[in-house]
Amino acid sequence: MSTQSIESRTFSKADFKAFFVSFAVPILGVLIFLMLWSLLAPKVVTSLGAVPGPKQVYSQFEALVVEHKDERQKQVDFYERQETRNAKKLAKDPEATIKVRKYAGNPTFFDQIITSVVTVMAGFLLASLIAIPIGIVAGLSKTVYAALNPLVQIFKPVSPLAWLPIVTMIVSATYVTSDDAWFDKSFLNSAITVLLCCLWPTIISTAVGVTNVSKDLQNVSHVLRLSWWTHVRKIVLPSAIPMIFTGLRLSLGIAWMVLIAAEMLSQNPGLGKFVWDEFQNGSSNSLGRIMVAVVVIGLIGFLLDRIMLFLQKKVSWDKSVALR
Amino acid sequence: MEKIHLELTGVNMDFPTPNGSFRALENVNLKIQKGEFVSIIGHSGCGKSTVLNVIAGLYQATAGGVILNGKEVTVPGPERAMVFQNHSLLPWLTAYENVELAVKTIFKGKKSKSEMREWIEHNMQLVHMEHALDKRPDEISGGMKQRVGIARALAMEPEVLLLDEPFGALDALTRAHLQDSVMEIQADLGNTMMMVTHDVDEAVLLSDRIVMMTNGPAATVGEILEVNLPQPRDRIKVSESTQYNHCRHEVLRFLYERHGKKAEELTEDETIDETVVDSSEKSPVVDFKESQQPKNKVA
Ligand SMILES: Nc1ncnc2c1ncn2[C@@H]1O[C@H](COP(=O)(O)OP(=O)(O)OP(=O)(O)O)[C@@H](O)[C@H]1O
Ligand SMILES: [Mg+2]
C-alpha cells in the first residue's frame, strides 16, 4: 500500500514534467506559430490576393487529395475502357492486333512527392556507396588523403546547382533513351546532381572518423597482425560509424534541399516542379498550394533525418550516447 | 642451463619532435630468461612504455635491437602479447568477442570452432571472468576490463607477456586481487612476463628481477635488483620477510636518490632537451608520491 502511494506520487511528479517538456511545450510552440500565421497572413496582400492562412492552406491540401483521387479514377477508367475495347475486338476476330497504351495523365501532387523521394534516395544511396569507401581509404592512407584533399576542398563549396547544366549536357549526350529505358533522363539529371552534393560531406566525415581511430585499438590490431580487411571491418568501421553517420545525415539534408531547387531550375518532375508550375500558374489558389508543398517538403526532410537517426541507433554500438 | 630468451642490445630510441629529435632511450641492455617475471620501474616519462613498445615491435629502435629466441624482432606479433594500460578492449564487442577476435586471428586453421570456444572460455576462467562473457566493456568495472585484457593477451599463447602498468588505474583492493591472479597464472603457465609499474610493492611482490630505469631524456637501465623470494608468494607472509623489506628499500632508495642526481645533471648540461620533454616529465616527484602514498599506508 505505502509503496504504491510513493510510486504513484513520484510517477505523477516526474512524469508530468517529462510529458510537459516532450509533448505540451512543442505543441504549444506549434499552436503559437499557427496563431501568428493566421493573424498576420491576411495583412500581406500580393498580386494573387492575400497570403493564405493555415485554414486556406489546409483546404488546398484537401483539394490536392481530391485531385489525386480523381486522377487515379480516370486512370482506372482508361484501362477498363481499353480492356473492354480490346476484348470486343478479339471476340470479333481472334487474329486482330490489339493496342495496349499507357495512361498519360498529369502527375498529381502525390506522384511528385514520390518522384522526389525516390530521386533523392537514389542519388543519396549511390553517393554513400561511393563516398564511404573513398573516405575509409583516404582516412587510412596519408598518400590517398593528400591526393584527394585538394579536390574535395575545391568541389565541396560548389553549389550543386552549378553542376546541373554540365550534368544535363553529359547525360543527354551519353544516355540514349528508348521508350522502355530504365530511367528517364530527367531522373538521371536530378539524381546525379544530388549525388554530387552528397559525396563531399560523407567523404570528409568518414575520413576524419577513420583517422581518429584510437591509437590503442590500432596497436591491438598491430599486435594481432590483423589483415587489412579484418582491420577495416573489426576496428576501423565500428570506430568511424558515428562520424560516418554525421556525414550521411548532413549529406541527406543538403540533398533534399538541392533536389527541390534542381527540380525547379530544370523542370524535372518532382516537388520542385510542382512549386514552379504553381508559381507560373498564378491562380488564386497557387499560393496556398505552394504552401502545402513547403510544409510537405519540410515534413519529408524531417522524416528522412529521423530515418537516418533510427538507422544510426540501430547500427551504433554505443547506446549510451544521446543521438540528436 | 637457462638460456637467454629475450635480449635487448644497445637499444636507442629517438622520437622526431618539432624541435629536433628527442632521445628517449639510450643504450638499453637487458637479458631475460624464459619464465622470468621482470618489472620495469622508474619515474613517470622516463621511457618505460617505450621499452615495452620496442619489444612489442610497435616502435622501431633507432639503434640496437631486440632478439627473441635468437631471432630479431622488428614488427609486432602475437608471440609478444601486450596488456595495455587502459585495457584497449574494442568497446563494440563483448568480453567473449574481444578474446575471440584474438583467438580467431591466431588459431585460424589450427583449432576447430569448438576448440576455440573452449580455449576462450578457459582463458576467461584463468582471470575469473567466466561469468561476464556476454558483457560489453562499458558494462563491466575497470578491474574486470583489465582482466579481459589479460585474458585476451593470454589467449594468444604469447612467449612473452608485456604488461604496461596494467593495474595503474585501479584501487588498491582490486589491484591486489589482480596481482594474485597474475601470480597464479604465472605459476600455472610459466610465461615470461615483463611489467611496467609505478608501484614499488607491486614490483617487489611479483618480480624475479626489478629493472630500475634512470630518468629521461636518454634514459637507460640504472640498476637491476634480484628478488630472492620463492614463487609463488603470499603477500602477507612476504611482507614480513627481511628480504622483501630490503628490496623495497633498495628500490625506493634508487628512485629518490637517482631522481635528485639526475635533476642536477639536467640543469647543468641538458637544459635544451628539457624543453622538449613532455609535461608528464615536469613533475615526476609529485606524480610518484601520488601513486605511492596510499600504498605505503596499506603495507
Ligand atoms: N611517440 C612519441 N613521440 C615523441 N615523444 C615520445 C613518444 N612516445 C614517448 N615519447 C617521449 O618519450 C619519453 C618516454 O615516454 P614513455 O611513455 O615511455 O614514458 P613512461 O616511463 O612510460 O611514462 P609513464 O610512467 O608516465 O607512462 C617521454 O618523455 C615522452 O615524451
Ligand atoms: Mg607509460
Side-chain angles (χ1 to χ4, degrees):
Chain A
M1 273 295 276
S2 66
T3 52
Q4 205 176 3
S5 74
I6 287 170
E7 254 170 35
S8 67
R9 204 182 324 141
T10 50
F11 168 82
S12 61
K13 236 188 176 177
D15 269 26
F16 178 73
K17 205 169 176 192
F19 169 81
F20 191 71
V21 172
S22 59
F23 287 102
V25 174
I27 288 174
L28 200 70
V30 172
L31 284 180
I32 291 174
F33 171 76
L34 289 178
M35 210 173 70
L36 287 175
W37 179 10
S38 51
L39 280 178
L40 295 177
K43 304 226 159 90
V44 186
V45 181
T46 70
S47 60
L48 298 177
V51 169
K55 254 190 220 151
Q56 289 98 308
V57 170
Y58 184 73
S59 62
Q60 284 308 322
F61 174 74
E62 286 177 330
L64 283 167
V65 173
V66 171
E67 267 172 43
H68 178 73
K69 281 183 180 155
D70 287 353
E71 190 67 30
R72 277 295 123 86
Q73 193 53 50
K74 272 191 207 162
Q75 186 179 351
V76 170
D77 292 349
F78 172 85
Y79 282 119
E80 264 177 16
R81 264 182 281 128
Q82 177 169 290
E83 232 170 77
T84 46
R85 203 175 332 117
N86 287 336
K88 266 185 202 163
K89 250 190 189 174
L90 282 176
K92 257 190 204 163
D93 170 15
E95 302 294 300
T97 50
I98 51 165
K99 275 184 254 162
V100 180
R101 272 182 304 154
K102 254 185 147 178
Y103 178 72
N106 290 324
T108 66
F109 179 62
F110 296 93
D111 295 332
Q112 303 284 40
I113 293 179
I114 290 171
T115 309
S116 284
V117 170
V118 169
T119 313
V120 83
M121 288 316 282
F124 169 74
L125 286 180
L126 208 62
S128 308
L129 284 181
I130 298 170
I132 293 175
I134 291 180
I136 289 175
V137 174
L140 287 174
S141 151
K142 283 207 173 90
T143 322
V144 176
Y145 182 83
L148 277 179
N149 195 35
L151 297 178
V152 174
Q153 298 300 339
I154 289 170
F155 286 137
K156 191 185 63 160
V158 175
S159 163
L161 297 180
W163 289 107
L164 195 58
I166 304 175
V167 171
T168 312
M169 295 310 290
I170 293 178
V171 166
S172 55
T174 54
Y175 188 68
V176 191
T177 40
S178 54
D179 277 345
D180 46 30
W182 276 24
F183 311 113
D184 293 333
K185 269 183 185 167
S186 57
F187 170 80
L188 270 190
N189 287 340
S190 305
I192 292 175
T193 308
V194 164
L195 181 148
L196 282 172
C197 74
C198 282
L199 283 179
W200 320 115
T202 308
I203 290 183
I204 293 172
S205 301
T206 307
V208 169
V210 170
T211 12
N212 288 347
V213 174
S214 101
K215 190 88 196 143
D216 291 314
L217 298 188
Q218 291 185 30
N219 283 342
V220 170
S221 172
H222 285 144
V223 169
L224 285 173
R225 291 221 197 104
L226 292 185
S227 65
W228 187 86
W229 179 234
T230 318
H231 174 67
V232 168
R233 253 183 340 132
K234 295 284 179 176
I235 307 224
V236 170
L237 261 181
S239 310
I241 280 281
M243 279 305 285
I244 293 179
F245 266 94
T246 308
L248 288 179
R249 282 173 69 188
L250 213 62
S251 291
L252 189 55
I254 299 172
W256 184 237
M257 286 200 271
V258 162
L259 177 69
I260 304 299
E263 287 167 350
M264 286 177 79
L265 197 68
S266 66
Q267 296 292 295
N268 290 341
L271 277 169
K273 183 171 158 58
F274 175 88
V275 171
W276 191 250
D277 287 349
E278 287 303 328
F279 178 58
Q280 296 297 328
N281 261 354
S283 82
S284 57
N285 289 335
S286 285
L287 275 184
R289 288 159 75 98
I290 291 175
M291 282 191 183
V292 174
V294 167
V295 172
V296 167
I297 290 169
L299 283 176
I300 291 175
F302 174 69
L303 210 69
L304 289 175
D305 192 57
R306 286 290 117 165
I307 292 172
M308 288 307 291
L309 190 64
F310 172 78
L311 282 180
Q312 179 171 11
K313 275 183 182 155
K314 275 263 140 153
V315 177
S316 164
W317 47 270
D318 194 355
K319 313 280 185 213
S320 62
V321 286
L323 297 170
R324 279 161 191 275
Chain B
M1 257 292 276
E2 279 180 290
K3 256 178 52 189
I4 302 301
H5 183 49
L6 176 73
E7 185 171 9
L8 280 77
T9 358
V11 169
N12 286 7
M13 187 72 221
D14 297 324
F15 289 112
T17 66
N19 315 359
S21 92
F22 168 71
R23 172 151 296 186
L25 300 179
E26 185 165 276
N27 196 23
V28 173
N29 294 293
L30 260 182
K31 289 187 172 66
I32 291 161
Q33 275 148 14
K34 204 169 175 67
E36 216 180 350
F37 193 114
V38 176
S39 291
I40 302 178
I41 199 163
H43 285 286
S44 185
C46 72
K48 305 181 295 294
S49 298
T50 309
V51 171
L52 232 54
N53 282 323
V54 168
I55 298 173
L58 292 168
Y59 290 168
Q60 303 299 316
T62 340
V66 182
I67 292 172
L68 177 68
N69 289 332
K71 269 191 229 128
E72 179 164 16
V73 291
T74 47
V75 289
E79 77 282 357
R80 281 157 287 133
M82 184 116 157
V83 177
F84 298 90
Q85 176 159 12
N86 50 352
H87 68 80
S88 295
L89 299 178
L90 310 192
W92 43 87
L93 298 183
T94 63
Y96 181 89
E97 289 164 338
N98 263 287
V99 182
E100 188 184 36
L101 178 66
V103 171
K104 268 194 175 162
T105 317
I106 290 156
F107 298 104
K108 202 175 176 184
K110 291 181 207 146
K111 279 189 198 298
S112 71
K113 265 218 169 101
S114 60
E115 279 172 334
M116 283 191 193
R117 180 158 193 103
E118 237 167 64
W119 178 241
I120 296 165
E121 280 165 0
H122 168 73
N123 280 287
M124 293 297 259
Q125 271 158 22
L126 278 181
V127 296
H128 309 295
M129 280 297 294
E130 63 274 22
H131 59 280
L133 294 178
D134 296 322
K135 293 247 163 75
R136 281 216 316 265
D138 56 359
E139 297 167 334
I140 56 181
S141 70
M144 289 159 96
K145 278 183 251 201
Q146 221 37 282
R147 284 176 191 273
V148 178
I150 294 172
R152 177 175 64 184
L154 287 173
M156 300 182 203
E157 265 186 346
E159 305 225 17
V160 182
L161 184 62
L162 305 167
L163 304 115
D164 189 357
E165 291 182 43
F167 317 131
L170 306 177
D171 64 282
L173 260 153
T174 314
R175 193 183 259 249
H177 278 301
L178 279 171
Q179 288 164 351
D180 289 343
S181 290
V182 166
M183 277 195 282
E184 241 173 68
I185 289 163
Q186 222 235 351
D188 270 10
L189 308 177
N191 290 61
T192 310
M193 296 199 187
M194 279 188 82
M195 180 178 75
V196 167
T197 180
H198 264 136
D199 183 332
V200 180
D201 290 276
E202 182 172 281
V204 178
L205 179 69
L206 295 176
S207 322
D208 298 314
R209 281 193 297 159
I210 301 173
V211 173
M212 292 172 264
M213 288 186 65
T214 63
N215 283 353
T220 187
V221 176
E223 282 175 34
I224 298 182
L225 180 75
E226 296 243 3
V227 183
N228 285 317
L229 288 164
Q231 297 263 26
R233 296 164 188 161
D234 178 303
R235 70 174 61 240
I236 312 286
K237 272 189 206 148
V238 136
S239 67
E240 289 159 0
S241 78
T242 48
Q243 170 72 8
Y244 179 90
N245 283 308
H246 164 73
C247 291
R248 218 173 145 265
H249 177 78
E250 282 297 301
V251 177
L252 284 173
R253 188 186 54 74
F254 174 89
L255 288 171
Y256 288 106
E257 281 186 2
R258 266 293 172 170
H259 184 255
K261 200 171 135 207
K262 197 69 182 180
E264 275 167 29
E265 280 172 22
L266 265 179
T267 51
E268 273 167 35
D269 53 17
E270 282 174 327
T271 38
I272 310 147
D273 275 349
E274 201 174 24
T275 55
V276 180
V277 180
D278 81 348
S279 59
S280 69
E281 170 75 0
K282 278 176 195 149
S283 55
V285 182
V286 180
D287 181 59
F288 205 81
K289 273 187 183 152
E290 268 172 10
S291 69
Q292 269 320 107
Q293 221 118 51
K295 199 67 218 239
N296 284 344
K297 275 181 210 147
V298 173

